[in-house]
Structures are given as C-alpha cells and as structure tokens.
Amino acid sequence: MMISNEALAAGLAQAVARHLGAAVGSKPQVAELARLTAGAANETWSFDVIGRLASGEQRRIGCILRRSPGIGDEGKSDTNLGKAGEAEVQRAARDAGVAAAEVLFILSPEDDLGDGYVMARLEGETLPRRVLRDAEYADLRTHLARDCGITLAQLHSVAPARLPTLTTMGAAEQIERYGEVYRAFGQPVPVFDLALRWLADHRQEPARLTLVHGDFRNGNLMVGPEGIRAVMDWELAHLGDPMEDLGWLCVTSWRFGEIDLPVGGFGRREDLFAGYEAAGGGAVNPDAVRYWEVFGTLKWGIMCMIMTHSHLSGATRSVEKAAIGRRVSETELDLLNLLT
Amino acid sequence: MATDRPTVPELVQAVREFLEAEVQPSLDGSVAFHTRVAVNVLKIVERELAEGPALAAAEKSRLVALLGHDGDLDVLAEELIEAIRAGRMDVQTPGLTEHLRSTVMAKLAIDNPRYQSYQRALQGGR
C-alpha cells in the first residue's frame, strides 16, 4: 500500500490516540515524520508524538514505525511472521531481558495503515564501519563479542510459551529451501553446489530448539560506547538450532573488512562463546557454530542472487540490486576457505 | 563494424569519470549512495572489458583439462555442475578445488579486487 507522507502522519496521529490513549492525552500530534529506509518488505519511519496530558503537561515521545508496504513478494521473509508477529517476538525478548526497543503498539485494521508496529526510538550507532573504526567505540570493541554472547544467551532463553507461533527451521529445511531457490535461477555457481553437498553430509542434530533471531549480526545491533543498546530486525525470527545465530554473526561478509576478527569484525570466537556460557546459554558446540557459518556464508551468497534477480526479472529495478549480483564471488571465496 | 574512437572502454571510462568528478560531489542522501554504486558498477565493466576475455580463456582450458574433453565454456561449466550435483566430483577430486579457486579469484579480480579475503589470497594466505 503506497501512502503519502501527509496521509501517513494523519493516520499515525489517530492510531497513536487510539492505542496510547491517556499516555499522550487527547489530540496527539505527529511531527518530524521522516522515512529512514525503504524496501519492498520493510519501511522504517521516524516520528515524534507530541501530546498534552490532562495535567496540562506536554509530552514528547520519539517513535519508530516499522511497516510492510505490501508490494510484491520480493524480500518477503520465509518465516511469514508478519509485522505483528515480529513485534510480539521483540516484546517477548525485551521482557526476557534482551536489549531491544520497547514496542508501543501494533497497528490494527481500523488504523488502515497496513501491517506494522510502533516502537520507542533509541539513540545509538548501527553503521558497522563506524562500530569497527571510530575511536569512540575502541573500548566497546574490547568486550562487544562477549556482550553478544550474553545477549544471545538471553535471547535463546525466551520461553516458547511467551512467543507467537513460529516456524521451526532446522538445517535440513533451510538447505532444502535455499538449494531450491539457487537452482531455480539456472545460474551455475559450482562452489554453491559443493557447499550444499557439504552441508547435507555434515548436518548434526541440534542440542535443543530455541528462539533464533535469524539476522543477529553487525549492522542489526544498535550500540553505544558502553554496550549493546538494542537488537534490531526481528523479522527472520524462528525456532531452530541456537548455534545458527552464533554462526551467522561470524560470517566473513559481516566482518566488513576486518577479516581477522571473526565475530562481526570486532572480536574473537572464544569471547563470544565465554559470554554465552557465562550467561547461562549452555555449552557452545564450536563445530555446530562453524557449520552454521558455512551455511550463513552460502545463504548470504544466495540472498545476493535473490536480490539481483529481483532486478533482472523487473520486479524491482535498481542499480543497487543489479550490482549486488557481483558480490556472489565474495561468498564463493569465503566458502572455499571454509571447506578446503 | 569498425567504430570510431573512443573505444567502448574509453566511453565507459568517460562516463565513470564524469559521475565521480561532477555528479557525486553535488549529491547527498540515497541518490549520492546510488551514484556511488553506479560508479562501482562501471569500474566492474571496465575491468571485465580489459581482463574478461583472457580470464574466460584460462577458465576454459582448466575445464578442458579437468573434464578431459573440449567444448564451449558454458557447456563445460554446466557439465562440472552436473558432476558435483551427482556426487561424481567433490573436494577430494584432484584438481577440482584448485580450478574453483582460480575461477573465483578471476571473478573477484573483476567484481571486487578490494575484497579483503581476495587481497589475503593474493598474498598466499586465507
């Protein structure tokens, strides 16, 4: 659903009054509405709510809207969680102690703004290259890998009963799914076939099934100089092998050039594992983490193909999507390094 | 058909230089970002025009040696995929991973020679 900024601001003001009620007083206003990111699957908007309470006191709340514009299937997550489900997972994780933005409300049908939710806006750094290079984060980089381990242990401890219904996706389902997607493009990448075969041959049973974030990496973490402020982008959440999140965080593509520091380009695996175990995540299986790192490297390569074919098919023409097809070779080299 | 100068590489270079020197500095936000992407795309085109034919010829002779017969590059590449999918070739097959590594290095020389893993591999490391 396409919508003008004016219509969105007016609709949001009504939705805020409907869902937040007395917390923002009567006739709340929406100001400073600005789109932060746009995509076929997701739009992110920033805005302020200005309300006047019954006491006469003015109240200003910084907000983020995450919304699915609902155009096309490209980029649609394979978890089919929907924005409401995403919000519920984020809320449950925050309740369990995971650093995440507070969900203020989920859009309802009478809001007529599509599928989405509104959360409190936090301040912090999300750009990987700044996290890896700015002097401001030099101290953070000494403990961020351990902090990630602690956060993942908390995330994997969220009681399933507190979560919405989630798809269970283990290694077998994901290899099958991404293998099919890759083969359907009819574009031969022999290293991908080698990796798919290796993944099928080396599959191991997970020690347990837990909530898996699905996209926990440098770039989806909001940090401050003191530590992680928020885990973002919950749309790929599912039930699966918790080691998947640890492996994905170590994929070379998410090291942003700092390839000797496997954890997000900022830390060592030992520190990630130690933080995870110290925070009650249970014993880390380094072989399983490595397995998921191989899978994650392949998955990112196939995701690059998916994006570039969405340009080639005409679904979403974009020079950025055209260019990303030429990043497949990066993942091929990283896969060869892992497999041979 | 014999065309006049500038040649195709020279034309692409002219457009890329124009985008870099005159367009990029005057922009900001997402258009600036996409212009930077466009410049990078033209750099890929320039490298492929210069190095692509030789790299493709080298890939073909490696495939001929690996598969034991001649053929078009596309057909040979498809045959290799089939062999891997059927399990007739894997990381143990003599020469396979060496061939794949050379092919991937050739692709990265065109796609993104600044990629850190590529730089490391050029120096003999991984």
Side-chain angles (χ1 to χ4, degrees):
Chain A
M1 181 171 62
M2 299 297 283
I3 189 168
S4 73
N5 284 21
E6 293 73 20
L8 181 59
L12 273 174
Q14 285 186 4
V16 164
R18 188 175 290 126
H19 296 280
L20 299 181
V24 290
S26 62
K27 300 231 167 91
Q29 306 290 309
V30 164
E32 314 272 344
L33 178 67
R35 184 148 83 183
L36 302 181
T37 64
N42 276 306
E43 287 175 1
T44 308
W45 299 78
S46 171
F47 65 97
D48 284 0
V49 169
I50 304 164
R52 193 169 289 281
L53 305 186
S55 62
E57 180 198 345
Q58 205 197 55
R59 184 114 194 262
R60 195 175 183 115
I61 309 172
C63 296
I64 294 287
L65 165 70
R66 251 170 94 75
R67 176 176 173 271
S68 166
I71 40 169
D73 282 342
E74 185 270 326
K76 195 171 130 193
S77 80
D78 40 5
T79 58
N80 289 317
L81 196 52
K83 284 284 158 279
E86 186 182 331
E88 286 168 35
V89 175
Q90 182 173 328
R91 198 175 255 164
R94 182 180 153 89
D95 289 348
V98 177
E102 182 191 357
V103 174
L104 298 175
F105 64 88
I106 297 168
L107 292 177
S108 54
E110 61 263 37
D111 296 325
D112 198 22
L113 292 172
D115 193 20
Y117 65 102
V118 171
M119 62 186 128
R121 188 173 67 230
L122 301 174
E123 303 299 327
E125 186 55 66
T126 61
L127 292 175
R129 284 172 205 283
R130 293 218 176 124
V131 174
L132 296 187
R133 278 150 211 161
D134 280 12
E136 198 184 347
Y137 304 112
D139 182 60
L140 173 75
R141 290 191 287 271
T142 65
H143 56 81
L144 188 52
R146 185 181 172 86
D147 295 355
C148 284
I150 295 168
T151 297
L152 281 172
Q154 293 167 334
L155 201 156
H156 295 155
S157 74
V158 177
R162 301 199 170 270
L163 294 165
T165 306
L166 296 175
T167 313
T168 300
M169 290 197 300
E173 292 93 343
Q174 300 200 55
I175 296 166
E176 169 87 12
R177 183 189 158 78
Y178 280 95
E180 264 175 32
V181 169
Y182 153 64
R183 286 186 293 269
F185 289 132
Q187 179 186 326
V189 182
V191 177
F192 285 5
D193 290 279
L194 216 53
L196 282 163
R197 197 154 183 102
W198 186 90
L199 288 164
D201 290 347
H202 291 78
R203 200 153 56 76
Q204 30 192 315
E205 286 309 308
R208 58 191 180 125
L209 279 185
T210 68
L211 168 67
V212 173
H213 179 278
D215 200 6
F216 189 97
R217 62 170 176 88
N218 192 359
N220 280 336
L221 299 173
M222 178 182 281
V223 301
E226 76 293 345
I228 298 172
R229 291 186 180 167
V231 179
M232 311 191 302
D233 283 7
W234 294 81
E235 68 182 294
L236 297 177
H238 58 273
L239 295 181
D241 184 346
M243 297 300 109
E244 179 183 351
D245 276 334
L246 280 73
W248 181 243
L249 176 61
C250 294
V251 167
T252 312
S253 309
W254 310 134
R255 299 179 200 170
F256 297 91
E258 301 294 333
I259 57 173
D260 293 322
L261 292 169
V263 182
F266 48 74
R268 303 181 310 159
R269 288 189 184 86
E270 298 86 313
D271 296 327
L272 171 72
F273 299 173
Y276 191 80
E277 292 178 355
V284 170
N285 175 354
D287 290 339
V289 175
R290 188 180 169 80
Y291 178 89
W292 284 108
E293 183 182 332
V294 173
F295 174 78
T297 308
L298 172 71
K299 179 170 121 175
W300 172 239
I302 295 174
M303 286 169 76
C304 289
M305 285 180 97
I306 293 172
M307 288 186 269
T308 221
H309 278 272
S310 125
H311 164 82
L312 295 173
S313 73
T316 34
R317 298 287 293 175
S318 134
V319 70
E320 187 184 3
K321 285 195 160 58
I324 207 164
R326 291 299 185 103
R327 293 196 61 188
V328 166
S329 46
E330 297 174 7
T331 62
E332 282 182 85
L333 179 57
D334 290 329
L335 281 169
L336 279 175
N337 283 342
L338 285 165
L339 296 179
T340 64
Chain B
M1 181 181 68
T3 51
D4 299 320
R5 299 264 317 260
T7 62
V8 163
E10 288 164 344
L11 285 169
V12 175
Q13 184 185 7
V15 175
R16 194 253 302 160
E17 286 172 355
F18 163 71
L19 289 174
E20 273 183 312
E22 295 177 53
V23 179
Q24 242 179 326
S26 65
L27 300 171
D28 53 27
S30 81
V31 187
F33 170 72
H34 285 112
T35 305
R36 201 165 73 231
V37 174
V39 166
N40 280 331
V41 165
L42 293 179
K43 286 180 180 170
I44 295 174
V45 174
E46 289 179 71
R47 289 190 293 263
E48 186 160 332
L49 287 170
E51 303 165 44
L55 293 173
E59 182 182 358
K60 189 186 148 173
S61 36
R62 283 195 308 271
L63 279 169
V64 169
L66 193 63
L67 298 168
H69 63 88
D70 202 357
D72 288 342
L73 178 56
D74 289 355
V75 177
L76 294 172
E78 194 60 46
E79 192 180 324
L80 179 71
I81 286 279
E82 290 309 322
I84 295 171
R85 285 184 187 169
R88 292 193 303 274
M89 283 189 173
D90 60 23
V91 288
Q92 312 298 336
T93 306
L96 177 65
T97 57
E98 292 79 2
H99 162 71
L100 293 177
R101 192 166 275 276
S102 300
T103 306
V104 171
M105 290 297 283
K107 286 208 259 181
L108 278 165
I110 289 170
D111 293 342
N112 185 6
R114 291 172 61 197
Y115 191 58
Q116 279 300 317
S117 307
Y118 171 81
Q119 288 292 330
R120 182 69 53 86
L122 278 185
Q123 294 154 18
R126 54 168 58 187

